[in-house]
Amino acid sequence: MQEHWVWLIILLVLGVVVSNLMVLKYSSKLKWPTKNKPPKESSEDDSSKQ
């Protein structure tokens, strides 16, 4: 019975590691928006909002 628990824990750990690697690979292909964008004539945009 103990051997079954050991195999279960090993498989769970391997599953977590593999899933984390897959998420890292997928997220590296995504293009995240950058915060430092040059302002595009914000004075006109601000006046139209008010």
Side-chain angles (χ1 to χ4, degrees):
M1 184 76 179
Q2 283 288 340
E3 187 175 326
H4 291 22
W5 285 110
V6 171
W7 282 110
L8 179 66
I9 292 172
I10 290 173
L11 288 175
L12 285 174
V13 169
L14 282 175
V16 169
V17 169
V18 168
S19 65
N20 283 337
L21 288 174
M22 291 172 66
V23 168
L24 282 174
K25 184 178 178 182
Y26 176 75
S27 65
S28 68
K29 293 180 181 179
L30 292 178
K31 292 185 179 181
W32 296 97
T34 58
K35 292 183 179 180
N36 298 331
K37 292 182 180 178
K40 295 181 180 179
E41 299 190 23
S42 60
S43 61
E44 290 180 6
D45 293 340
D46 290 338
S47 62
S48 63
K49 289 181 182 177
Q50 294 176 349

